[in-house]
Amino acid sequence: MKELPSARILGIESSCDETAAAVVEDGRRILSSVVASQEELHAEYGGVFPEVASRQHIRVIYPVVEQALAKAHLSLGDIDAIAVTRGPGLPGSLVVGLNMAKGLALGSGKPLVGINHLEGHLYSAWLKRNNEEGKEYLPPEFPLLALIVSGGHTELVLMRDHLQYERLGGTLDDAAGEAFDKVARLLDLGYPGGPAVEKAAKPGDPAAFKFPRSWLEGSWDFSFSGLKTAVLNQVKNIRQELGDSKEDESVDLPVADLAASFQAAVVEVLATKARFAAQEHDVKELLVAGGVSANRALRTLISKDTPGRVHIPPIELCTDNAVMIAAAGYFRFARGHRHGLEMDAMPTWPLGSD
Ligand code: KG4
Ligand code: ZN
């Protein structure tokens, strides 16, 4: 394979509720990473409030970018290109990062590369780190089967080479992360839902409730809305059985068992379908990325039964950050990809389309 040129990329991410900037060298070496989370701001709404998100991005994006450069001990002049999330995401949030990147590109004359947020999640698996024995972790090899599980997406994708995506399937309704967020709300566990459900599930029995697994046999698609409804119905039943009134809200729910049983159902379907898809496509390597890949139950199950190598980014790189955008930006920049200042946000941009 032809050796790619060396380059330092400044990455900028603002697609949802994290304002982030990072500098990455050669797509693999992290020189700096800054993430300003808006978690607390949105907690009172129980989800991301788009208007609040974009206004907060505007407030913090400049200092976040400045800090990322300062932490890397670099100035804009030392950067080879600016990579920015172009979509998918909230339109009002995306344009803040895009405009920041465009301003920097215009002022410095540096090239601009628009990145698909999902591609960013995938490329977080290429970032350098040590493996359990303390040795340098070897990056994924093609062909590989990728499972992207985030708040807005659940996708099974076959990658035969860098930047090549063959979509096998995806969710027909709720994304995996969305299901975690909805169930967290239902069980009054707060926002963001995924980590809250995982924590609540820890002392629980995953076999306490038999929630449905939607296999959708014969396809690589997923569906999580039936599972969410099953949890809702179970909660209603418990309230009816234990309470005095029709649906007594004051009843103490078996939250740990409900959370553990729900989590087990999601994780089993994700891990099993990803493994089968890899087998059927004769692929040895599996890559799992996106916010839900931070879930320990998923990490354990998918790593346990898969014969080949399983790549899951370290937990701090699973949720949104700009390191992943800079990493993906490098692989595009090194292959000559560039965007002009007219680049627009693409709020519903499917992975792999231009
Ligand atoms: O990738 P991400 O940070 O943002 C999007 O691109 O959507 O993913 C956020 C999603 C949320 O739905 C969040 O609840 C979920 O990832 N998530 C988790 C965990 N950490 C984050 N879900 C399950 N277990 C976790 N530990
Ligand atoms: Zn994401």
Side-chain angles (χ1 to χ4, degrees):
M1 199 184 79
K2 218 176 84 195
E3 187 94 349
L4 293 175
S6 183
R8 285 181 190 140
I9 311 290
L10 169 67
I12 298 178
E13 154 67 37
S14 70
S15 66
C16 191
D17 62 342
E18 253 95 35
T19 323
V23 182
V24 172
E25 194 169 65
D26 301 342
R28 296 207 60 214
R29 200 159 85 86
I30 303 173
L31 301 185
S32 70
S33 173
V34 179
V35 181
S37 171
Q38 303 181 3
E39 226 169 84
E40 280 174 23
L41 273 180
H42 300 288
E44 66 174 294
Y45 307 107
V48 179
F49 196 125
E51 174 76 20
V52 172
S54 33
R55 296 180 74 158
Q56 185 63 12
H57 285 308
I58 289 174
R59 277 187 209 109
V60 304
I61 193 139
Y62 187 71
V64 163
V65 170
E66 256 193 332
Q67 262 187 45
L69 287 169
K71 278 191 170 179
H73 305 291
L74 297 171
S75 67
L76 202 50
D78 306 313
I79 297 293
D80 295 289
I82 300 157
V84 59
T85 307
R86 189 182 182 191
L90 299 169
S93 288
L94 288 167
V95 294
V96 179
L98 269 174
N99 283 341
M100 181 74 199
K102 285 183 188 183
L104 292 173
L106 186 63
S108 65
K110 303 286 174 183
L112 189 63
V113 189
I115 297 296
N116 185 301
H117 180 84
L118 304 178
E119 181 166 86
H121 275 303
L122 293 173
Y123 275 89
S124 54
W126 267 263
L127 291 157
K128 277 193 185 167
R129 57 184 148 130
N130 287 337
N131 63 19
E132 276 155 24
E133 294 88 51
K135 294 204 187 107
E136 193 192 313
Y137 180 84
L138 295 172
E141 281 178 23
F142 301 108
L144 62 82
L145 202 288
L147 171 69
I148 308 170
V149 272
S150 71
H153 292 84
T154 305
E155 309 266 315
L156 262 184
V157 181
L158 181 60
M159 282 183 82
R160 297 191 192 276
D161 202 348
H162 278 295
L163 313 175
Q164 305 289 315
Y165 309 104
E166 195 180 310
R167 186 179 187 273
L168 303 180
T171 185
L172 301 177
D173 39 60
D174 293 344
E178 196 178 351
F180 270 95
D181 293 335
K182 287 180 175 170
V183 165
R185 225 171 292 156
L186 185 67
L187 300 179
D188 218 5
L189 294 172
Y191 169 86
V197 170
E198 179 173 354
K199 191 165 167 226
K202 222 166 172 205
D205 174 6
F209 298 98
K210 302 259 166 301
F211 289 134
R213 272 79 168 146
S214 178
W215 294 112
L216 303 182
E217 277 178 43
S219 97
W220 299 118
D221 288 331
F222 298 90
S223 166
F224 295 108
S225 72
L227 171 59
K228 175 195 65 194
T229 310
V231 180
L232 175 68
N233 290 337
Q234 187 67 56
V235 167
K236 281 185 180 168
N237 287 345
I238 297 170
R239 285 196 167 129
Q240 272 174 19
E241 273 169 30
L242 301 182
D244 324 321
S245 59
K246 208 163 150 271
E247 260 188 59
D248 193 340
E249 296 253 347
S250 67
V251 161
D252 275 338
L253 292 171
V255 171
D257 285 349
L258 286 164
S261 304
F262 159 77
Q263 179 174 266
V266 177
V267 161
E268 190 184 324
V269 172
L270 289 174
T272 309
K273 289 198 85 154
R275 198 177 323 122
F276 282 173
Q279 270 168 17
E280 191 155 312
H281 292 87
D282 205 15
V283 163
K284 305 252 166 345
E285 306 225 341
L286 203 59
L287 192 167
V288 192
V292 181
S293 65
N295 185 277
R296 285 171 188 82
L298 176 62
R299 297 169 83 91
T300 308
L301 189 69
I302 214 160
S303 304
K304 199 176 76 185
D305 293 334
T306 307
R309 286 202 304 162
V310 180
H311 307 273
I312 316 176
I315 288 184
E316 67 279 8
L317 291 180
C318 289
T319 47
D320 290 350
N321 62 79
V323 169
M324 66 188 206
I325 303 303
Y330 169 76
F331 288 95
R332 289 211 169 260
F333 172 74
R335 285 170 176 76
H337 292 243
R338 305 285 185 272
H339 283 103
L341 291 173
E342 72 290 349
M343 170 169 56
D344 197 4
M346 290 172 74
T348 58
W349 190 10
L351 179 67
S353 74
D354 285 328

